Amino acid sequence: MKKLFAEFFGTFWLVFGGCGSAIFAAGVPDIGIGLVGVALAFGLTVLTMAYAVGHISGGHFNPAVSVGLVAGGRFPAKDLIPYIVAQCIGAIIAAGCLYVILNGAGATSFTKPGDFASNFYAEAVYNGKAFSMGAAFLTEFLLTAFFLIVIMGATDRWANGKFAGIAIGLALTLIHLISIPITNTSVNPARSLSQAVFVGGLAMSQLWLFWAAPILGGVVGGLVYKFLLQKDQNEETA
């Protein structure tokens, strides 16, 4: 049960800190944190929770990560569904808190793609560019696959585990720097679900992509590391 609470709180912190920074701080004139600040905020949420509760649950905070670790042989399949449920509940409650806070400044309605830090594709939100469904799918797939490779490599028994949280947090920062203008960055189905629940409309109709692409990418990333990169137990440490 402690593992599930750790996943709940870790995913809550990811959504509250990452999406919260996008909602409240990104567009503030003159002093706003912008794209770089939001990307860093997401990375910091994972980095801080990796050290806070990662030793309890493994620090997934993401259904695609959990599925990818099952594929990579690092996580038991019997624990997968409870982890995903805990992650989704944590994400939705965090989004609910953000919604209540946002409404503290007046009634809120979501009318544009990307509102409330929701994900999107085929919509011109940044710089007048609308990326197709295929481009969005490929982006989310590739970035989640590489995220799994980083996670599995950084937490490998041959790696220096003390720095795993830093590597994983910086990887998520880089992922957001690349893909915020394309999809508002998911690579995390729970994070996408939580915002779509409150935005509805377009965000809900496009939610399938932000589950399918990250989970498929997580599976491929886990398998790539397991079969192509992971050092065999019989190999020499040198």
Side-chain angles (χ1 to χ4, degrees):
M1 186 59 72
K2 288 184 179 180
K3 292 181 179 181
L4 299 182
F5 276 119
E7 287 298 305
F8 169 89
F9 286 116
T11 314
F12 179 103
W13 188 236
L14 184 150
V15 170
F16 191 83
C19 294
S21 68
I23 293 166
F24 297 116
V28 179
D30 299 325
I31 61 170
I33 62 174
L35 183 154
V36 174
V38 173
L40 185 59
F42 272 100
L44 288 173
T45 62
V46 169
L47 188 155
T48 51
M49 274 295 163
Y51 288 108
V53 300
H55 60 286
I56 300 171
S57 67
H60 301 187
F61 319 139
N62 181 338
V65 169
S66 297
V67 173
L69 291 175
V70 170
R74 296 282 190 87
F75 186 64
K78 66 180 179 63
D79 293 334
L80 180 60
I81 298 302
Y83 263 54
I84 291 176
V85 171
Q87 292 157 358
C88 289
I89 292 173
I92 291 171
I93 292 178
C97 291
L98 291 174
Y99 185 82
V100 170
I101 294 169
L102 186 62
N103 275 271
T108 301
S109 62
F110 304 120
T111 59
K112 303 187 301 297
D115 279 352
F116 201 56
S118 58
N119 297 117
F120 56 82
Y121 60 83
E123 298 289 340
V125 176
Y126 301 108
N127 298 322
K129 294 182 179 180
F131 292 88
S132 68
M133 180 181 70
F137 196 100
L138 181 60
T139 299
E140 292 288 331
F141 168 81
L142 287 174
L143 292 177
T144 312
F146 274 91
F147 192 37
L148 260 294
I149 291 171
V150 171
I151 290 170
M152 292 189 67
T155 58
D156 196 299
R157 69 190 186 94
W158 300 105
N160 189 334
K162 293 181 179 179
F163 299 103
I166 297 174
I168 294 167
L170 289 176
L172 190 60
T173 298
L174 176 59
I175 285 168
H176 280 78
L177 289 173
I178 296 167
S179 58
I180 286 176
I182 304 171
T183 62
N184 238 15
T185 309
S186 173
V187 302
N188 185 335
R191 167 262 189 275
S192 297
L193 172 66
S194 65
Q195 308 313 114
V197 164
F198 289 89
V199 173
L202 180 70
M204 284 298 293
S205 69
Q206 295 186 345
L207 182 61
W208 69 271
L209 185 144
F210 301 107
W211 275 80
I215 287 176
L216 183 58
V219 169
V220 170
L223 292 174
V224 165
Y225 191 86
K226 179 180 180 180
F227 291 109
L228 299 182
L229 299 172
Q230 188 166 272
K231 184 181 290 188
D232 188 273
Q233 291 184 358
N234 297 321
E235 288 184 51
E236 303 243 346
T237 57

